[in-house]
Amino acid sequence: MSTTTTDDDEDTSTATAAPETNKKQRYKRRKIAIFFAYCGVGYQGMQKNPGAKTIESDLEEALFLSGAVPEQDRNNPKRYDWARSARTDKGVSACGQVVSGRFYIEPPGLVERLNSNLSSQIRIFGYKRVTASFNAKKFCDRRRYVYLIPVFALDPSSHPDRESVLASLGSGNELVKCLECSERGRKVVGLMGKRIFESKGTVESGITSSSGDAIEESNIKEESRAYLENGENHKFNSESIEEAKVVDDSRASEIAAVEAEIPAKNVDTDAKVNLQEGAKGGGYFYGEKERENFNRILKYYVGTHNFHNFTTRTKAEDPAAQRFIVSFNANATVTVQGIEFVKCEVVGQSFMLHQIRKMIGLAVAIMRDCAPESLIEKALQKDVNINVPTAPEVGLYLEECFFTSYNQKWKDSHEEVSMKAYEEEAEDFKMKHIYSHIASTEHKEGAVALWLHSLNHRNYPDLRVVGSEDISDGRCGEMENAVNSSAPCIGV
């Protein structure tokens, strides 16, 4: 890391090297950009929120305990020009987060001191000296997020809901019952909320499960249906919305011009990556045809659009609803703990609350034949209101923040603000904490498998929208009451 002083540095009052020592030394505060990663499980997002456990609150405390922030500035980040590159939501992880501020970086060993005052869920990689005017939020040109979606989630016949299974009986094309999730064996209270597991163990002759077991049809009991609450009805929590950077279409070509400078990351070390074909399993694999179809769907999001249907509490008329997506693709797969995931990479200037999870949610619904492909274009219209499914938070993480314009302007006098120097450390953290958490959560809780059961027309009647005549006051008409037993709606 650089130790070169510049005219941008500002003198400050005396400060201790660390709170636990009494020996005072005179140091200068330096404006730096700190690079770090975290696993979001157990945290209510990145941004500090009174009464909530957040990444930012833990990091601020560690900065004080490590001697980077003096006593008089403790719990007052404005006094040291605190700024963050991205505000990740509740449960969302990051392996390329950046914050900036004016801190005491002497004596040497700040990174080690910070890590000693943080849990293993948060790791500081290092820092770079930056100009006095640098702001991690304002100078961030774009951000790249990754969502790992299990391959089975794209299979229309995987994890169908109970009604579809029952409707298929006797049709000659009976659907396979999901032994662990179907028959409403696991009740879901709230959208991606509490998960209560129930075991129904009577196994006799009857419906065949994916594991080869059979479940007697008479054991299927009518239960009180636990309808999933709409995400928009939930009380707003500490998840925060990144402030908008509205991009005019006239600037699209200018922004796209620097896209080529963003390195592609399709290969994960220490993980099995399949670029050509996915591992076969259950008769479905992520092959060339599936990859082409999924990428075609994701491409609808690219460009400048009104994403008011892909967030909460943001009206269509609000300029903040206009967002620019640079790229969105799903070209690689990675296998972790025996589960094959599709790696969905999205690059954009900034994102709103739940935006990426809702974009993934609708794309998955289309891949599972639960919604027409044309619904994406309709959902991006300003005068249409559609309830879009929200994928679980566990699969999402911030991979990298880019500062292309800043680096170009200050390349002759300052170090490049990028993750290049920390790629190996970030990869190790990602595999050890983020990927393992995503896979183990799916194994233990079936987060995505449970969510797939909610992708039906009972919970999301708007998924039936196929034409403007189906929309009334921004909502689609009532769902059909009967399910066609001869041609069941697979995967809804």
Side-chain angles (χ1 to χ4, degrees):
M1 63 190 70
S2 173
T3 57
T4 305
T5 60
T6 72
D7 294 336
D8 296 314
D9 297 323
E10 299 180 18
D11 290 318
T12 62
S13 58
T14 57
T16 57
E20 62 272 13
T21 62
N22 294 321
K23 183 179 179 181
K24 291 187 177 181
Q25 299 183 43
R26 183 176 293 276
Y27 296 120
K28 283 185 177 181
R29 292 202 200 196
R30 312 294 188 185
K31 193 65 172 292
I32 62 174
I34 300 175
F35 297 81
F36 65 105
Y38 52 84
C39 181
V41 59
Y43 284 91
Q44 300 293 311
M46 169 68 186
Q47 187 182 18
K48 190 175 181 180
N49 195 9
K53 181 178 176 61
T54 65
I55 299 294
E56 195 169 82
S57 58
D58 280 12
L59 185 55
E60 285 184 10
E61 184 64 14
L63 285 165
F64 166 72
L65 295 175
S66 302
V69 173
E71 176 69 39
Q72 63 266 27
D73 291 353
R74 189 180 189 182
N75 298 320
N76 193 356
K78 288 184 178 180
R79 290 180 61 88
Y80 46 85
D81 295 340
W82 177 264
R84 71 193 75 78
S85 290
R87 303 179 183 181
T88 53
D89 300 340
K90 172 187 175 183
V92 176
S93 302
C95 63
Q97 178 67 284
V98 181
V99 295
S100 63
R102 294 187 301 111
F103 304 108
Y104 295 112
I105 61 176
E106 283 119 359
L110 175 61
V111 173
E112 291 73 17
R113 293 197 300 274
L114 284 171
N115 284 326
S116 67
N117 288 301
L118 290 167
S119 71
S120 60
Q121 277 186 246
I122 307 175
R123 286 294 89 180
I124 306 297
F125 300 138
Y127 60 84
K128 299 286 183 69
R129 292 284 301 282
V130 292
T131 64
S133 62
F134 182 85
N135 182 291
K137 175 186 173 184
K138 295 178 180 178
F139 282 63
C140 184
D141 300 310
R142 61 206 61 233
R143 298 140 176 100
R144 175 165 58 202
Y145 283 84
V146 171
Y147 193 99
L148 293 187
I149 186 75
V151 168
F152 67 73
L154 307 181
D155 180 4
S157 62
S158 176
H159 296 275
D161 72 357
R162 182 170 183 264
E163 287 77 1
S164 297
V165 173
L166 291 176
S168 71
L169 297 178
S171 66
N173 186 30
E174 297 185 358
L175 299 178
V176 175
K177 174 178 290 297
C178 173
L179 178 63
E180 296 184 359
C181 301
S182 193
E183 199 182 291
R184 285 296 190 252
R186 293 181 178 181
K187 293 181 179 179
V188 184
V189 181
L191 186 65
M192 262 64 71
K194 298 178 181 178
R195 303 182 180 98
I196 302 176
F197 302 83
E198 291 184 0
S199 175
K200 299 200 174 212
T202 306
V203 178
E204 296 179 19
S205 61
I207 306 174
T208 305
S209 75
S210 57
S211 61
D213 296 323
I215 302 178
E216 185 179 14
E217 183 179 348
S218 61
N219 286 332
I220 302 178
K221 301 178 181 180
E222 279 298 331
E223 303 174 356
S224 56
R225 296 179 179 176
Y227 285 86
L228 297 179
E229 298 176 9
N230 188 330
E232 280 71 7
N233 293 332
H234 279 215
K235 185 176 181 181
F236 189 73
N237 56 22
S238 63
E239 300 171 319
S240 303
I241 304 174
E242 293 180 17
E243 292 186 13
K245 278 189 178 180
V246 181
V247 181
D248 189 89
D249 287 325
S250 61
R251 291 190 56 208
S253 59
E254 173 190 342
I255 294 173
V258 296
E259 180 186 351
E261 299 181 26
I262 300 177
K265 286 194 173 183
N266 286 334
V267 179
D268 297 274
T269 57
D270 299 329
K272 179 182 177 183
V273 179
N274 305 294
L275 295 175
Q276 299 301 323
E277 288 190 346
K280 293 185 178 181
Y284 183 91
F285 64 98
Y286 195 65
E288 192 62 38
K289 181 179 179 181
E290 291 76 15
R291 181 180 295 106
E292 181 180 339
N293 290 340
F294 199 26
N295 277 304
R296 185 184 66 254
I297 294 170
L298 296 177
K299 193 173 181 179
Y300 283 101
Y301 297 121
V302 176
T304 302
H305 301 287
N306 190 309
F307 286 94
H308 73 101
N309 282 315
F310 295 85
T311 186
T312 58
R313 297 179 55 163
T314 300
K315 303 295 183 181
E317 300 76 20
D318 190 335
Q322 289 284 121
R323 299 291 164 129
F324 179 73
I325 304 298
V326 177
S327 63
F328 206 162
N329 62 73
N331 293 323
T333 62
V334 54
T335 300
V336 185
Q337 297 181 14
I339 301 179
E340 186 184 16
F341 296 89
V342 178
K343 189 176 180 181
C344 305
E345 296 187 2
V346 56
V347 178
Q349 274 202 316
S350 59
F351 300 90
M352 296 181 289
L353 177 71
H354 300 331
Q355 182 181 341
I356 297 175
R357 291 165 57 193
K358 282 181 173 289
M359 289 193 292
I360 291 291
L362 182 54
V364 170
I366 293 172
M367 283 290 288
R368 291 175 63 83
D369 300 329
C370 189
E373 192 170 317
S374 60
L375 188 60
I376 290 188
E377 292 181 298
K378 194 167 291 295
L380 293 173
Q381 294 177 13
K382 184 177 180 178
D383 58 346
V384 175
N385 294 319
I386 293 177
N387 182 20
V388 175
T390 307
E393 74 275 2
V394 65
L396 181 63
Y397 68 90
L398 171 66
E399 185 164 71
E400 192 168 357
C401 297
F402 300 95
F403 303 86
T404 308
S405 299
Y406 170 86
N407 290 330
Q408 181 64 29
K409 182 176 180 179
W410 298 98
K411 61 181 179 180
D412 295 330
S413 59
H414 287 74
E415 289 182 287
E416 181 182 56
V417 178
S418 74
M419 284 289 295
K420 290 180 181 178
Y422 315 113
E423 286 181 348
E424 187 174 340
E425 293 178 78
E427 195 68 31
D428 290 342
F429 182 92
K430 180 169 64 177
M431 297 308 303
K432 182 178 180 181
H433 294 278
I434 300 177
Y435 276 25
S436 62
H437 167 63
I438 293 173
S440 62
T441 299
E442 192 58 41
H443 276 301
K444 297 175 183 178
E445 302 181 14
V448 174
L450 286 169
W451 171 69
L452 292 177
H453 295 311
S454 75
L455 292 181
N456 55 58
H457 298 149
R458 182 185 66 248
N459 293 316
Y460 297 100
D462 290 359
L463 295 182
R464 288 186 182 274
V465 176
V466 292
S468 58
E469 65 275 5
D470 296 323
I471 301 177
S472 176
D473 294 327
R475 313 300 293 180
C476 66
E478 293 190 10
M479 57 171 284
E480 299 175 10
N481 295 321
V483 178
N484 189 339
S485 60
S486 61
C489 186
I490 300 176
V492 298

